Amino acid sequence: EREPLHVFCIHLYIHITEASGDPNVLHKAKPFAELLPKLMPGAPHLVHMAFHTLMHTGGYHVSEVDNARAASLPRQIYPLHNLDTLAWVCRVEGRRGCSLTVAMRLERLALPLVKQGLFETGFPAGRFVAQRLLTLVAFGLWDEILAADAPLSCSEHFTCGIWHFARGAAQAHQGRPAAALAELQALQRERRAVVSSMATRPKWAWRNFNGSTEFGVYPAGDLLELACLELQARTSHAKGHQDGELAAWRAAAALEAGLPYDEPPAWYLPTSTRLGAALARAGQRKEAWEMFNSTLQKFPHDGWALFGMVRLCEEAASASEAAQPREAQHVDCQQLQRRFAQAWRHADVRLVGPDQAPELIQQAPAGAAALTPGLAHGPLRLQPSMGAALAVASVFLALLVGANFRAVRPGASCSARSARCPLRGAC
């Protein structure tokens, strides 16, 4: 309050409030978060930082703009993290082209790091490689998934597990439950290998955090268990086993809710939304409403959850009052539709049917101007809005702020590894 333009204090303020789960705290932090990129327009990490708050307050398109800028600036500290964030934001906005373009670039940049066993911002590089496959799942691009080769020829168990998950989801959606079950069994093998490797304790950075040599503190085993549960749900749906599907979705949502806080979230889209869609298909409207609402409590203006609520609201108009969710009895459906339209205004897909299947809009809406395609082939050259001297100072401060958070591999100094690292600062 005494120094509202103090960049370092704003940075720390964002960090200490982002995981609070308290809307009042988050909305109090929001103006400061939105101010930080303007104060330090030449520092990539500080341009990105607003997302830590806006993720919880619904400022997704602002976050897309910020992270596209952050990913385009020179002197990157966390280049993969910026792109990972951008891919997640675009998924939540329903922007298939943006999310897939960014995820493809992320995969290309991260693959060399996986081979070297390197980390960025505490994340193993396999997390970033997996984002392309998870984006294909999010947008239902099943043929593309089945045509995709295994990443790294499945030499790394986590990314190989995600590959089997994506293939299983595609097989289930296309009505081949036996093939989906085979992929599930392969996914379970990869998960067991990951869990086994996580028992290896390091003699370096993660030792005091109960981390592992290969994955640090990243919950790779839990994420592959989540993938197993989701694939079980999808396979049960393909078989027409509704009870098994709902049980698996519930278990997946519970597991995701227990994951450590992360930004962007560790899983590609909230599982509670897909559980809500399954419950709605089963006619369990009250619990479906609760699931969609639980997503919105964490991620306000999430269009996927709002779409599910709109459908429930429309269906409730023809249902008896006793069958309606109590909350839905007093909801203005038109107001809910306006909220969805606002959240989805930049999307290049439309959601159709009870499964929330994304369908490409041939003519993207006017508000969906592409901010990110240039990232596919190289950084966008955006000029900071302030002078060169401020940009240099911004980069210097960002380097100071970020230096203590970079994870390094044992046995080599960062300077020694920088010569081998394809991304400046990613070591």
Side-chain angles (χ1 to χ4, degrees), residues 71 241 327 376 379 381 424:
H241 296 168
E327 297 86 346
R381 297 301 179 188
R424 181 181 299 167

Side-chain angles (χ1 to χ4, degrees), residues 52-196:
H52 292 237
T53 299
L54 297 181
M55 176 175 75
H56 304 290
T57 58
Y60 302 128
H61 197 64
V62 173
S63 292
E64 180 188 341
V65 174
D66 285 345
N67 281 277
R69 283 183 53 212
S72 71
L73 290 168
R75 300 294 300 173
Q76 295 282 318
I77 300 175
Y78 306 132
L80 301 181
H81 183 52
N82 293 337
L83 291 172
D84 188 18
T85 300
L86 182 55
W88 185 87
V89 169
C90 289
R91 279 198 295 270
V92 172
E93 289 187 288
R95 286 174 47 70
R96 187 178 91 173
C98 161
S99 186
L100 191 55
T101 295
V102 174
M104 289 170 65
R105 185 185 185 210
L106 191 57
E107 181 184 51
R108 287 197 300 272
L109 295 178
L111 275 171
L113 305 187
V114 174
K115 296 175 183 177
Q116 298 178 66
L118 298 179
F119 290 72
E120 188 198 274
T121 62
F123 297 138
R127 168 193 171 119
F128 306 112
V129 172
Q131 296 309 308
R132 181 178 68 88
L133 288 165
L134 293 173
T135 299
L136 293 174
V137 172
F139 289 100
L141 298 173
W142 311 121
D143 291 336
E144 288 85 343
I145 289 171
L146 294 176
D149 293 329
L152 297 170
S153 300
C154 271
S155 60
E156 196 273 319
H157 294 295
F158 178 76
T159 52
C160 188
I162 295 298
W163 181 65
H164 286 298
F165 162 72
R167 287 181 58 83
Q171 299 285 13
H173 182 82
Q174 295 186 348
R176 293 186 287 271
L181 183 59
E183 297 292 349
L184 174 59
Q185 292 168 346
L187 168 57
Q188 290 168 335
R189 288 195 296 271
E190 298 298 337
R191 178 190 170 274
R192 287 193 293 270
V194 165
V195 171
S196 177

